Amino acid sequence: MSARPASTSPLVAIIGGGPAGLMAAEVLANAGVRVELFDAMPSVGRKFLLAGVGGMNITHSEAKAPFLARYREREGEIAALLADFDAEALRAWIHDLGIDTFVGTSGRVFPADMKAAPLLRAWLKRLRESGVAIHTRSRWLGWDKSGALRIATPEGERLVTADACVLALGGGSWARLGSDGAWVPLLEQLGVEVSPLRPANSGFEVAGWSEHLRGKFAGAPLKNVTLGLDGEAPRRGEFVLTEHGIEGSLVYALSAAIRQRIEQHGSAQVYLDLQPERTIEKVEALLSKPRGSASMAKHLHRQLGLDGAKAALLRELTTPADFADMNRLARAIKALPIELLRTRPLDEAISSAGGVTFEALEQNLMLRALPGTFCAGEMLDWEAPTGGYLLTACFASGRAAGLGALAWLRSAGSEQS
């Protein structure tokens, strides 16, 4: 059956209830358009809520140029989206929901209570008051021969005939929260160019840690270290040793470059500086101090404060000969090589790279192959590190897609008149 009620007001269907889909719905509803939003999960915003566990990092206060550089190859395309809705505009939008924000010591921006749920509740209340109809447990299956949207519901399949459609289906990570990438073949078979989905902001695997390191230090953080990769600016922060390799915010900051290096060369060599606050000359001088009867472990602790996971990793990746030569040991401490062989599986990644290419889209995010159908959010072919950059671009792209659909409706209306 057709779900479209008799009305002269145009209807836009939004597929996906994450930040991008909800933002598109808000833009359209505020313009007086009827909006029906469909999400396959029992509730909307599930991945958004998970991102808020431990602190809802909504955006970043970084200056414009370095902020945009986080989007790497897609800096130009994301810059166009953020030109009308940047980090400051996002903060103002959140404040308008009645949620205060603050800038943390790292420059990251958080809601005052650090939680995602109050923000989402306030937003959904406003959306429903503006007339947005939200349908959960409603999975999009593609289109039928007449162009109606096929929606699977607990009561059976429903057909929705809409004047325009915004697809905001997410990427391919965290399938249990709804981002399963099932939309890829549906678009590809209609001639839409989709770059393969790949892990982004993911952990990486090594050839294999020793049983000692894996058993005693898997899950241990390495704080205040610097991680580098040839051709990339070194980053300072922290990461975690895992049973398989390494992961964490410092790794995520370089994950796109690391993954690309692995794709090109089969592996990637990163370099860990365990003493970023000291020069190599200072490290060697401290190591060369007499240690008397003290063990090397105690010497490292007394002179450099190296112990725990840092000391264990240093032992793991060096030889006895390195420990016998203070110059070689100092070089290892300042640039400890870690060979990474592969990413962890896509479904474990925080986000995904790949998706609908910008070349497949008009400037307003409408699919060239499917006029009247727009795409937004993580299903587009871009990526960014954690730190608020992902959410900022998702919000901005949702807004852009909503505005694009609105312009399309107005254009179609003027042609009919």
Side-chain angles (χ1 to χ4, degrees):
M1 65 174 181
S2 174
R4 183 175 175 183
S7 172
T8 57
S9 176
L11 170 66
V12 177
I14 312 286
I15 311 298
L22 294 173
M23 184 58 85
E26 180 169 286
V27 168
L28 289 156
N30 287 346
V33 175
R34 287 186 302 131
V35 177
E36 293 198 40
L37 185 146
F38 302 89
D39 194 278
M41 304 305 289
S43 58
V44 299
R46 291 204 160 195
K47 194 172 180 183
F48 179 72
L49 290 174
L50 181 70
V53 174
M56 178 75 256
N57 177 200
I58 198 78
T59 188
H60 204 290
S61 63
E62 197 169 38
K64 182 178 179 180
F67 190 107
L68 292 176
R70 303 292 186 179
Y71 299 98
R72 297 177 63 85
E73 292 86 352
R74 290 302 189 182
E75 178 179 344
E77 290 86 353
I78 301 300
L81 300 177
L82 297 183
D84 292 326
F85 197 75
D86 60 9
E88 280 303 310
L90 177 55
R91 289 186 72 185
W93 176 84
I94 294 170
H95 297 163
D96 193 51
L97 280 173
I99 306 291
D100 290 330
T101 61
F102 73 95
V103 180
T105 55
S106 65
R108 299 183 180 203
V109 177
F110 303 88
D113 61 3
M114 301 286 286
K115 297 177 181 177
L119 192 161
L120 183 60
R121 280 198 301 270
W123 192 9
L124 292 176
K125 180 176 182 292
R126 189 163 77 180
L127 287 171
R128 289 190 172 102
E129 288 173 349
S130 69
V132 175
I134 297 176
H135 308 280
T136 55
R137 303 182 192 275
S138 299
R139 177 175 288 276
W140 177 63
L141 301 176
W143 295 270
D144 73 355
K145 292 181 179 179
S146 70
L149 297 159
R150 297 175 55 212
I151 308 292
T153 76
E155 293 75 37
E157 187 170 319
R158 175 185 179 190
L159 298 179
V160 177
T161 303
D163 297 283
C165 174
V166 176
L167 303 178
L169 288 150
S173 66
W174 291 91
R176 66 183 178 84
L177 300 177
S179 297
D180 58 10
W183 53 268
V184 173
L186 295 175
L187 293 185
E188 285 185 327
Q189 67 189 13
L190 293 174
V192 176
E193 182 183 22
V194 180
S195 179
L197 299 180
R198 306 180 304 284
N201 292 299
S202 69
F204 291 88
E205 297 181 6
V206 298
W209 296 132
S210 67
E211 186 176 337
H212 169 73
L213 189 75
R214 191 170 58 248
K216 192 169 182 180
F217 293 101
L222 279 80
K223 299 184 177 183
N224 191 28
V225 294
T226 297
L227 197 65
L229 177 73
D230 287 341
E232 296 287 327
R235 304 291 176 87
R236 189 163 174 173
E238 64 180 85
F239 68 94
V240 176
L241 294 177
T242 71
E243 182 180 356
H244 305 285
I246 60 176
E247 68 177 29
S249 59
L250 186 54
V251 176
Y252 302 154
L254 289 168
S255 67
I258 294 171
R259 187 192 66 246
Q260 289 168 1
R261 194 70 53 87
I262 291 173
E263 289 171 352
Q264 293 166 359
H265 304 290
S267 66
Q269 192 106 303
V270 295
Y271 297 92
L272 178 63
D273 185 347
L274 295 168
Q275 295 271 289
E277 72 282 0
R278 293 188 171 109
T279 65
I280 188 168
E281 292 79 13
K282 182 63 175 177
V283 171
E284 185 176 359
L286 290 170
L287 287 174
S288 298
K289 286 186 176 183
R291 62 185 175 95
S293 61
S295 66
M296 183 52 107
K298 272 200 170 160
H299 189 59
L300 286 171
H301 173 71
R302 285 175 181 172
Q303 298 301 326
L304 300 175
L306 277 182
D307 51 20
K310 289 183 179 180
L313 188 60
L314 180 63
R315 284 282 187 185
E316 179 85 5
L317 298 174
T318 53
T319 66
D322 294 323
F323 268 75
D325 183 325
M326 294 306 99
N327 178 264
R328 285 171 60 175
L329 186 58
R331 291 202 305 271
I333 288 169
K334 291 294 293 178
L336 189 63
I338 306 175
E339 186 175 20
L340 304 175
L341 302 182
R342 64 190 71 88
T343 61
R344 290 294 295 159
L346 174 59
D347 198 46
E348 291 182 15
I350 290 176
S351 60
S352 57
V356 175
T357 68
F358 282 87
E359 291 72 24
L361 301 164
E362 301 284 354
Q363 192 173 5
N364 61 0
L365 301 186
M366 184 173 75
L367 287 168
R368 298 181 189 276
L370 298 169
T373 300
F374 300 77
C375 294
E378 202 182 323
M379 70 180 293
L380 300 178
D381 182 19
W382 62 276
E383 63 179 305
T386 57
Y389 310 102
L390 288 164
L391 277 175
T392 303
C394 281
F395 278 105
S397 66
R399 182 176 180 274
L403 290 171
L406 187 59
W408 166 261
L409 293 174
R410 288 171 175 166
S411 174
S414 64
E415 289 178 5
Q416 289 173 6
S417 61

